[in-house]
Amino acid sequence: MAVEQTPARAGEQTRIHNIGYRNYDGPRLGRAYARRSLFSQSLRGAYGLGRSAKSKVLPMILFAVMCVPAAIMVAVAVTTKANDLPLDYTRYAIVLQAVISLYLAAQAPQTVSRDLRFKTVPLYFSRPIEHSDYVRAKFAAMASALFVLTAAPLLVLYVGALLAKLDFADQTKGFAQGLVSVALLSLLFAGIALVVSAITPRRGFGIAAVIAVLTISYGAVSTVQAIAYEQGSTDAIAWLGLFSPITLIDGVQTAFLGATSAFPGAQGPSSGVGVVYVIVVLALIAGCYGALMRRYRKVGL
Protein backbone atom coordinates (compact mmCIF):
# COMPACT_ATOMS: atom_id res chain seq x y z
CA MET A 1 0.00 0.00 0.00
CA ALA A 2 1.20 3.53 -0.73
CA VAL A 3 -0.24 6.87 0.31
CA GLU A 4 -0.07 9.82 -2.07
CA GLN A 5 -0.39 13.31 -0.64
CA THR A 6 -1.83 15.82 -3.14
CA PRO A 7 -2.02 19.61 -2.80
CA ALA A 8 -5.16 20.75 -1.05
CA ARG A 9 -7.51 21.94 -3.76
CA ALA A 10 -11.23 21.95 -4.11
CA GLY A 11 -12.68 18.50 -4.66
CA GLU A 12 -9.39 16.66 -4.16
CA GLN A 13 -8.47 14.34 -1.32
CA THR A 14 -5.59 12.06 -0.35
CA ARG A 15 -5.51 8.96 -2.61
CA ILE A 16 -4.49 5.45 -1.49
CA HIS A 17 -2.98 3.19 -4.19
CA ASN A 18 -2.62 -0.59 -3.92
CA ILE A 19 0.68 -1.37 -5.67
CA GLY A 20 0.51 -5.10 -5.13
CA TYR A 21 2.98 -5.86 -2.31
CA ARG A 22 2.16 -9.00 -0.37
CA ASN A 23 3.74 -10.71 2.59
CA TYR A 24 5.73 -13.85 1.72
CA ASP A 25 4.03 -16.87 3.26
CA GLY A 26 6.04 -19.64 1.55
CA PRO A 27 8.64 -21.94 3.13
CA ARG A 28 11.77 -20.44 4.66
CA LEU A 29 14.61 -22.53 3.20
CA GLY A 30 17.30 -21.23 5.54
CA ARG A 31 21.09 -21.45 5.64
CA ALA A 32 21.46 -25.01 4.41
CA TYR A 33 19.62 -24.25 1.18
CA ALA A 34 21.60 -21.03 0.67
CA ARG A 35 24.87 -22.89 1.23
CA ARG A 36 23.93 -25.67 -1.21
CA SER A 37 22.85 -23.11 -3.80
CA LEU A 38 26.15 -21.22 -3.49
CA PHE A 39 28.08 -24.49 -3.76
CA SER A 40 26.24 -25.67 -6.88
CA GLN A 41 26.45 -22.26 -8.53
CA SER A 42 30.20 -22.05 -7.84
CA LEU A 43 30.80 -25.62 -9.05
CA ARG A 44 28.90 -25.00 -12.28
CA GLY A 45 30.73 -21.73 -12.76
CA ALA A 46 34.09 -23.51 -12.49
CA TYR A 47 33.27 -25.19 -15.81
CA GLY A 48 31.51 -22.20 -17.34
CA LEU A 49 28.04 -23.72 -16.97
CA GLY A 50 25.37 -21.06 -16.67
CA ARG A 51 27.77 -18.46 -18.05
CA SER A 52 28.66 -17.22 -21.53
CA ALA A 53 29.99 -19.54 -24.22
CA LYS A 54 33.41 -17.87 -23.97
CA SER A 55 33.61 -18.83 -20.30
CA LYS A 56 33.17 -22.52 -21.17
CA VAL A 57 36.02 -22.71 -23.68
CA LEU A 58 39.10 -22.86 -21.45
CA PRO A 59 37.81 -25.22 -18.71
CA MET A 60 36.38 -27.62 -21.28
CA ILE A 61 39.61 -27.59 -23.30
CA LEU A 62 41.64 -28.32 -20.17
CA PHE A 63 39.22 -31.08 -19.20
CA ALA A 64 39.70 -32.65 -22.64
CA VAL A 65 43.48 -32.26 -22.37
CA MET A 66 43.36 -34.17 -19.08
CA CYS A 67 41.29 -37.01 -20.52
CA VAL A 68 42.77 -37.46 -24.02
CA PRO A 69 46.12 -38.93 -22.85
CA ALA A 70 44.21 -41.46 -20.74
CA ALA A 71 42.14 -42.47 -23.77
CA ILE A 72 45.31 -42.85 -25.86
CA MET A 73 46.91 -45.04 -23.18
CA VAL A 74 43.83 -47.23 -23.10
CA ALA A 75 43.85 -47.55 -26.88
CA VAL A 76 47.52 -48.55 -26.82
CA ALA A 77 46.92 -51.10 -24.04
CA VAL A 78 43.98 -52.66 -25.90
CA THR A 79 45.77 -52.70 -29.27
CA THR A 80 49.04 -54.15 -28.01
CA LYS A 81 47.34 -56.47 -25.50
CA ALA A 82 49.62 -55.15 -22.78
CA ASN A 83 49.71 -56.67 -19.32
CA ASP A 84 49.49 -53.30 -17.61
CA LEU A 85 48.74 -49.64 -18.31
CA PRO A 86 51.61 -47.42 -19.50
CA LEU A 87 51.16 -45.10 -16.49
CA ASP A 88 50.09 -45.82 -12.93
CA TYR A 89 46.92 -44.22 -11.60
CA THR A 90 48.85 -42.40 -8.87
CA ARG A 91 51.31 -40.93 -11.40
CA TYR A 92 48.76 -39.44 -13.79
CA ALA A 93 48.07 -36.17 -11.93
CA ILE A 94 51.77 -35.70 -11.20
CA VAL A 95 52.65 -35.97 -14.90
CA LEU A 96 49.85 -33.58 -15.92
CA GLN A 97 50.39 -31.09 -13.10
CA ALA A 98 50.87 -28.23 -15.57
CA VAL A 99 47.30 -28.65 -16.83
CA ILE A 100 46.01 -28.70 -13.25
CA SER A 101 47.90 -25.50 -12.46
CA LEU A 102 46.47 -23.76 -15.53
CA TYR A 103 42.95 -24.81 -14.59
CA LEU A 104 43.33 -23.51 -11.05
CA ALA A 105 44.92 -20.28 -12.24
CA ALA A 106 41.94 -19.66 -14.52
CA GLN A 107 39.09 -20.75 -12.25
CA ALA A 108 40.12 -20.02 -8.65
CA PRO A 109 40.27 -16.23 -9.20
CA GLN A 110 36.98 -16.44 -11.08
CA THR A 111 35.41 -18.21 -8.09
CA VAL A 112 36.23 -15.50 -5.56
CA SER A 113 37.62 -12.37 -7.25
CA ARG A 114 34.35 -11.28 -8.90
CA ASP A 115 32.60 -11.05 -5.54
CA LEU A 116 35.52 -9.09 -4.13
CA ARG A 117 35.93 -6.81 -7.13
CA PHE A 118 32.27 -5.83 -7.37
CA LYS A 119 31.85 -5.75 -3.57
CA THR A 120 28.96 -8.19 -3.56
CA VAL A 121 30.23 -10.26 -0.62
CA PRO A 122 28.25 -8.24 1.99
CA LEU A 123 25.09 -9.00 0.00
CA TYR A 124 25.56 -12.71 0.68
CA PHE A 125 25.72 -12.03 4.40
CA SER A 126 22.51 -10.01 4.29
CA ARG A 127 20.78 -13.36 3.71
CA PRO A 128 20.59 -16.26 6.19
CA ILE A 129 24.20 -17.24 5.49
CA GLU A 130 27.28 -16.83 7.65
CA HIS A 131 30.94 -16.25 6.78
CA SER A 132 31.68 -19.92 7.43
CA ASP A 133 28.92 -20.98 5.02
CA TYR A 134 30.39 -18.84 2.25
CA VAL A 135 33.92 -20.16 2.77
CA ARG A 136 32.79 -23.79 2.99
CA ALA A 137 30.70 -23.53 -0.15
CA LYS A 138 33.50 -21.90 -2.17
CA PHE A 139 36.16 -24.27 -0.82
CA ALA A 140 34.02 -27.35 -1.43
CA ALA A 141 33.06 -26.18 -4.93
CA MET A 142 36.67 -25.52 -6.01
CA ALA A 143 37.89 -28.81 -4.53
CA SER A 144 35.02 -30.71 -6.17
CA ALA A 145 35.68 -29.09 -9.55
CA LEU A 146 39.35 -30.04 -9.31
CA PHE A 147 38.46 -33.58 -8.22
CA VAL A 148 36.27 -33.95 -11.31
CA LEU A 149 39.16 -32.74 -13.48
CA THR A 150 41.66 -35.18 -11.97
CA ALA A 151 39.41 -38.19 -11.33
CA ALA A 152 37.76 -38.30 -14.78
CA PRO A 153 40.92 -39.48 -16.60
CA LEU A 154 41.49 -42.10 -13.90
CA LEU A 155 38.00 -43.41 -14.60
CA VAL A 156 38.84 -43.55 -18.31
CA LEU A 157 41.97 -45.54 -17.48
CA TYR A 158 40.07 -47.91 -15.20
CA VAL A 159 37.26 -48.61 -17.65
CA GLY A 160 39.79 -49.07 -20.44
CA ALA A 161 41.85 -51.45 -18.32
CA LEU A 162 38.80 -53.60 -17.66
CA LEU A 163 37.95 -53.59 -21.37
CA ALA A 164 41.53 -54.67 -22.07
CA LYS A 165 40.92 -57.55 -19.64
CA LEU A 166 43.71 -56.58 -17.27
CA ASP A 167 43.70 -58.02 -13.77
CA PHE A 168 40.55 -56.78 -12.03
CA ALA A 169 41.94 -56.78 -8.48
CA ASP A 170 45.15 -54.94 -9.39
CA GLN A 171 43.31 -52.33 -11.45
CA THR A 172 40.68 -51.74 -8.78
CA LYS A 173 43.34 -51.31 -6.11
CA GLY A 174 45.32 -48.90 -8.30
CA PHE A 175 42.18 -46.95 -9.19
CA ALA A 176 41.22 -46.60 -5.50
CA GLN A 177 44.73 -45.43 -4.62
CA GLY A 178 44.60 -42.91 -7.45
CA LEU A 179 41.27 -41.53 -6.23
CA VAL A 180 42.63 -41.07 -2.71
CA SER A 181 45.66 -39.27 -4.13
CA VAL A 182 43.69 -36.84 -6.32
CA ALA A 183 41.15 -36.20 -3.53
CA LEU A 184 43.98 -35.07 -1.27
CA LEU A 185 45.52 -33.08 -4.13
CA SER A 186 42.18 -31.39 -4.83
CA LEU A 187 41.75 -30.23 -1.23
CA LEU A 188 45.32 -28.95 -0.95
CA PHE A 189 45.51 -27.22 -4.33
CA ALA A 190 42.02 -25.71 -4.07
CA GLY A 191 42.81 -24.24 -0.64
CA ILE A 192 46.10 -22.71 -1.76
CA ALA A 193 44.62 -21.30 -4.99
CA LEU A 194 41.61 -19.77 -3.21
CA VAL A 195 43.76 -18.12 -0.53
CA VAL A 196 46.07 -16.65 -3.16
CA SER A 197 43.12 -15.49 -5.29
CA ALA A 198 41.27 -13.95 -2.32
CA ILE A 199 44.17 -11.63 -1.55
CA THR A 200 43.37 -9.38 -4.51
CA PRO A 201 40.13 -8.53 -6.35
CA ARG A 202 42.11 -8.24 -9.59
CA ARG A 203 41.61 -11.43 -11.56
CA GLY A 204 44.78 -10.92 -13.61
CA PHE A 205 46.92 -10.63 -10.49
CA GLY A 206 45.23 -13.71 -9.05
CA ILE A 207 45.99 -15.77 -12.16
CA ALA A 208 49.65 -14.78 -12.13
CA ALA A 209 49.95 -15.40 -8.38
CA VAL A 210 48.42 -18.90 -8.53
CA ILE A 211 50.72 -19.93 -11.39
CA ALA A 212 53.72 -18.52 -9.54
CA VAL A 213 52.94 -20.29 -6.27
CA LEU A 214 52.30 -23.70 -7.87
CA THR A 215 54.94 -23.75 -10.58
CA ILE A 216 57.83 -21.73 -9.15
CA SER A 217 57.74 -23.67 -5.87
CA TYR A 218 57.84 -26.98 -7.75
CA GLY A 219 60.63 -25.81 -10.04
CA ALA A 220 62.71 -24.56 -7.13
CA VAL A 221 62.25 -27.72 -5.06
CA SER A 222 62.95 -30.01 -8.02
CA THR A 223 66.13 -28.10 -8.86
CA VAL A 224 67.45 -28.24 -5.30
CA GLN A 225 66.55 -31.95 -5.08
CA ALA A 226 68.47 -32.64 -8.29
CA ILE A 227 71.51 -30.78 -6.91
CA ALA A 228 71.31 -32.75 -3.66
CA TYR A 229 71.11 -36.01 -5.61
CA GLU A 230 74.15 -35.13 -7.73
CA GLN A 231 76.12 -34.27 -4.61
CA GLY A 232 75.14 -37.51 -2.90
CA SER A 233 72.92 -35.90 -0.23
CA THR A 234 70.12 -38.40 -0.79
CA ASP A 235 68.74 -38.09 2.75
CA ALA A 236 67.86 -34.43 2.11
CA ILE A 237 65.78 -35.18 -0.99
CA ALA A 238 62.72 -36.38 0.92
CA TRP A 239 62.81 -33.45 3.34
CA LEU A 240 63.10 -30.93 0.52
CA GLY A 241 59.82 -32.26 -0.89
CA LEU A 242 57.97 -30.63 2.01
CA PHE A 243 58.29 -27.20 0.38
CA SER A 244 56.13 -27.64 -2.73
CA PRO A 245 52.45 -28.65 -3.03
CA ILE A 246 52.98 -31.18 -5.82
CA THR A 247 55.98 -32.83 -4.13
CA LEU A 248 53.95 -33.05 -0.92
CA ILE A 249 51.32 -35.11 -2.73
CA ASP A 250 54.05 -37.16 -4.41
CA GLY A 251 55.59 -37.92 -1.03
CA VAL A 252 52.30 -38.93 0.60
CA GLN A 253 51.33 -41.34 -2.18
CA THR A 254 54.86 -42.77 -2.32
CA ALA A 255 54.88 -43.47 1.41
CA PHE A 256 51.36 -44.82 1.80
CA LEU A 257 49.73 -45.53 -1.58
CA GLY A 258 52.38 -47.66 -3.24
CA ALA A 259 53.28 -45.05 -5.85
CA THR A 260 56.65 -44.69 -7.54
CA SER A 261 58.29 -41.42 -6.53
CA ALA A 262 59.15 -38.73 -9.07
CA PHE A 263 61.97 -37.50 -6.85
CA PRO A 264 65.52 -37.77 -8.27
CA GLY A 265 66.69 -41.35 -8.04
CA ALA A 266 63.16 -42.30 -6.86
CA GLN A 267 64.27 -41.23 -3.37
CA GLY A 268 60.76 -40.97 -1.96
CA PRO A 269 60.08 -40.57 1.76
CA SER A 270 59.93 -43.56 4.06
CA SER A 271 56.83 -44.31 6.11
CA GLY A 272 58.23 -42.34 9.05
CA VAL A 273 58.94 -39.25 6.95
CA GLY A 274 55.63 -39.86 5.16
CA VAL A 275 53.81 -39.21 8.44
CA VAL A 276 55.39 -35.75 8.45
CA TYR A 277 54.15 -35.25 4.89
CA VAL A 278 50.60 -36.13 5.90
CA ILE A 279 50.73 -33.77 8.88
CA VAL A 280 52.03 -30.92 6.70
CA VAL A 281 49.36 -31.52 4.05
CA LEU A 282 46.53 -31.56 6.60
CA ALA A 283 47.97 -28.49 8.35
CA LEU A 284 48.12 -26.61 5.04
CA ILE A 285 44.51 -27.50 4.21
CA ALA A 286 43.35 -26.39 7.66
CA GLY A 287 45.52 -23.28 7.44
CA CYS A 288 44.03 -22.33 4.06
CA TYR A 289 40.53 -22.70 5.47
CA GLY A 290 41.44 -20.55 8.46
CA ALA A 291 43.03 -17.90 6.24
CA LEU A 292 39.89 -17.75 4.08
CA MET A 293 37.71 -17.40 7.17
CA ARG A 294 39.87 -14.53 8.41
CA ARG A 295 39.82 -12.86 5.02
CA TYR A 296 36.04 -12.98 4.62
CA ARG A 297 35.33 -11.79 8.14
CA LYS A 298 37.04 -8.55 7.16
CA VAL A 299 35.47 -8.37 3.69
CA GLY A 300 31.96 -8.87 5.03
CA LEU A 301 32.10 -5.87 7.34
Side-chain angles (χ1 to χ4, degrees):
M1 303 291 286
V3 178
E4 178 184 357
Q5 298 285 347
T6 60
R9 290 188 295 178
E12 292 190 6
Q13 297 179 349
T14 299
R15 299 190 182 93
I16 299 178
H17 301 275
N18 185 351
I19 56 179
Y21 287 124
R22 294 181 300 176
N23 292 329
Y24 177 74
D25 55 3
R28 302 287 180 175
L29 300 177
R31 287 176 58 186
Y33 177 81
R35 187 168 55 244
R36 288 194 302 270
S37 298
L38 182 58
F39 166 78
S40 61
Q41 180 261 340
S42 300
L43 178 57
R44 285 166 51 84
Y47 284 95
L49 303 178
R51 293 163 55 193
S52 65
K54 183 175 67 174
S55 301
K56 298 179 177 66
V57 174
L58 183 58
M60 292 304 176
I61 288 177
L62 294 177
F63 183 83
V65 170
M66 284 291 294
C67 293
V68 167
I72 294 174
M73 292 177 194
V74 166
V76 170
V78 172
T79 303
T80 61
K81 297 182 180 179
N83 295 323
D84 205 352
L85 293 171
L87 189 65
D88 292 339
Y89 294 96
T90 50
R91 294 284 302 143
Y92 196 90
I94 304 296
V95 172
L96 292 175
Q97 59 177 290
V99 181
I100 297 172
S101 298
L102 285 176
Y103 177 82
L104 277 174
Q107 300 307 317
Q110 177 67 31
T111 301
V112 295
S113 65
R114 288 168 60 89
D115 293 340
L116 294 171
R117 182 177 181 182
F118 297 110
K119 304 183 185 302
T120 58
V121 175
L123 296 179
Y124 287 102
F125 303 142
S126 67
R127 301 293 186 269
I129 187 172
E130 300 293 337
H131 299 80
S132 59
D133 298 320
Y134 182 90
V135 171
R136 287 172 193 163
K138 292 291 184 178
F139 200 134
M142 193 71 258
S144 299
L146 190 55
F147 181 75
V148 170
L149 182 78
T150 52
L154 301 187
L155 182 60
V156 173
L157 287 175
Y158 181 63
V159 173
L162 297 184
L163 293 176
K165 298 182 180 179
L166 302 182
D167 185 76
F168 176 79
D170 288 344
Q171 297 305 315
T172 302
K173 179 181 178 182
F175 179 57
Q177 291 172 335
L179 289 181
V180 172
S181 175
V182 297
L184 197 60
L185 181 148
S186 299
L187 287 170
L188 177 62
F189 278 44
I192 293 173
L194 288 177
V195 169
V196 172
S197 301
I199 293 174
T200 174
R202 300 283 185 177
R203 186 184 178 193
F205 292 161
I207 291 173
V210 171
I211 291 177
V213 169
L214 295 180
T215 60
I216 293 178
S217 63
Y218 174 70
V221 168
S222 298
T223 301
V224 177
Q225 284 180 323
I227 294 172
Y229 180 73
E230 291 297 328
Q231 293 182 347
S233 302
T234 55
D235 293 339
I237 293 176
W239 294 106
L240 289 169
L242 294 169
F243 298 96
S244 167
I246 194 66
T247 53
L248 275 171
I249 299 300
D250 191 306
V252 171
Q253 65 182 20
T254 299
F256 300 110
L257 298 176
T260 302
S261 178
F263 292 176
Q267 298 291 328
S270 62
S271 298
V273 180
V275 172
V276 179
Y277 271 70
V278 172
I279 293 173
V280 171
V281 169
L282 295 179
L284 280 174
I285 294 172
C288 289
Y289 178 80
L292 286 171
M293 285 292 297
R294 182 180 178 85
R295 168 64 170 153
Y296 281 98
R297 283 197 185 99
K298 294 181 179 180
V299 173
L301 295 177

